[in-house]
Amino acid sequence: MKTERLLLSKGAERLGIDLEEEALERLLLYLAELVKWNRRINLIARDTREEQIIETHFLDSLTLLPFLLEQRQAPQHLLDVGSGAGFPGLVLATVLPEVRFTLAEPRAKRVSFLRHLIRTLRLTNTEVHAERIEALMPDRQGCFTHITGRAVAEPALFLPLVRPLVSPETRVVLMLARTELLASIEQLPSGPWHILDIRTFNLPFSAASRVLAVVGACL
């Protein structure tokens, strides 16, 4: 795992993220379990090289860290919609034990993988909601400080989907490939939505562009 360790630590460093040794070890164990399980069930594309997995799944997920670290003085609870193999929610939970995470994933095989990893990594800050996101509504409105989802749907579909869970204090973090997808969200009928922060960057090895947009709503 020397190559994987170097790629993960070097990539995080290039993104301005400081990974502690314990967190790095857990992420490497996560990677090993993902590769092993992926031989049996389709968690990610079968032909994905480990170097690509590290960049496009693990490092991409870690780009949300600054948003959570900036508010770490207050209790935080992040909802990851359509968590799949745990990106970004379980990756973040692995390095942020003080933050609570709920992973919403309706597909049974992925739920089995997520729960296996939570046990293997001995995470006490993470729960899996094994149903569609609609089953969380409306009794958990305002329970989450942050809501995100990776490759679930474009903003025009994702924001109305999570709207029943959003309070004025909730921050929705959109993970995008380009800023053009933000063009019309302030006019969505599910709003009013307000873009509070936009950060653009490139992944450390492929230089693929990424956009993180923090969005809030007024009731």
Side-chain angles (χ1 to χ4, degrees):
M1 298 289 282
K2 288 184 179 179
T3 301
E4 292 83 355
R5 175 187 293 273
L6 180 61
L7 286 170
L8 191 53
S9 59
K10 182 60 69 175
E13 181 182 334
R14 291 182 182 178
L15 290 170
I17 296 168
D18 182 24
L19 284 180
E20 296 181 357
E21 184 63 26
E22 185 177 352
L24 182 59
E25 290 293 337
R26 285 197 297 266
L27 288 173
L28 289 170
L29 177 56
Y30 186 160
L31 173 63
E33 290 297 306
L34 174 67
V35 171
K36 181 169 66 176
W37 276 63
N38 202 51
R39 299 188 187 107
R40 305 196 307 271
I41 64 174
N42 188 28
L43 294 168
I44 58 174
R46 292 284 176 86
D47 59 350
T48 308
R49 294 177 291 107
E50 288 194 10
E51 295 84 352
Q52 188 178 355
I53 296 172
I54 289 170
E55 180 179 52
T56 60
H57 295 300
F58 285 84
L59 294 174
D60 193 31
S61 296
L62 288 173
T63 59
L64 275 72
L65 266 178
F67 292 108
L68 299 174
L69 292 174
E70 287 166 7
Q71 302 173 38
R72 65 191 310 171
Q73 67 274 14
Q76 297 175 76
H77 190 173
L78 182 142
L79 170 66
D80 179 18
V81 179
S83 193
F87 309 119
L90 194 56
V91 172
L92 294 167
T94 301
V95 300
L96 287 176
E98 71 274 19
V99 177
R100 290 180 62 199
F101 293 86
T102 295
L103 314 179
E105 173 52 56
R107 292 165 290 188
K109 290 182 179 180
R110 287 164 174 77
V111 168
S112 296
F113 173 71
L114 292 172
R115 287 177 171 163
H116 165 74
L117 265 180
I118 290 169
R119 292 191 299 269
T120 300
L121 300 174
R122 299 181 180 178
L123 301 179
T124 59
N125 61 338
T126 308
E127 63 174 335
V128 179
H129 177 78
E131 297 180 85
R132 293 183 62 84
I133 189 66
E134 290 85 353
L136 282 171
M137 307 167 182
D139 59 316
R140 298 189 74 174
Q141 182 183 30
C143 291
F144 306 105
T145 57
H146 298 78
I147 299 175
T148 194
R150 187 171 178 264
V152 176
E154 62 182 42
L157 298 175
F158 184 74
L159 290 173
L161 174 67
V162 301
R163 185 65 180 86
L165 294 168
V166 173
S167 72
E169 293 75 32
T170 307
R171 297 294 175 255
V172 182
V173 185
L174 301 173
M175 304 179 70
L176 309 170
R178 59 188 190 279
T179 56
E180 289 84 351
L181 294 170
L182 297 170
S184 61
I185 67 170
E186 293 187 345
Q187 285 75 50
L188 288 175
S190 60
W193 296 99
H194 303 287
I195 300 173
L196 304 173
D197 193 4
I198 299 177
R199 303 184 189 184
T200 60
F201 57 94
N202 299 95
L203 293 180
F205 305 123
S206 66
S209 61
R210 291 290 187 272
V211 179
L212 294 180
V214 180
V215 178
C218 296
L219 297 182

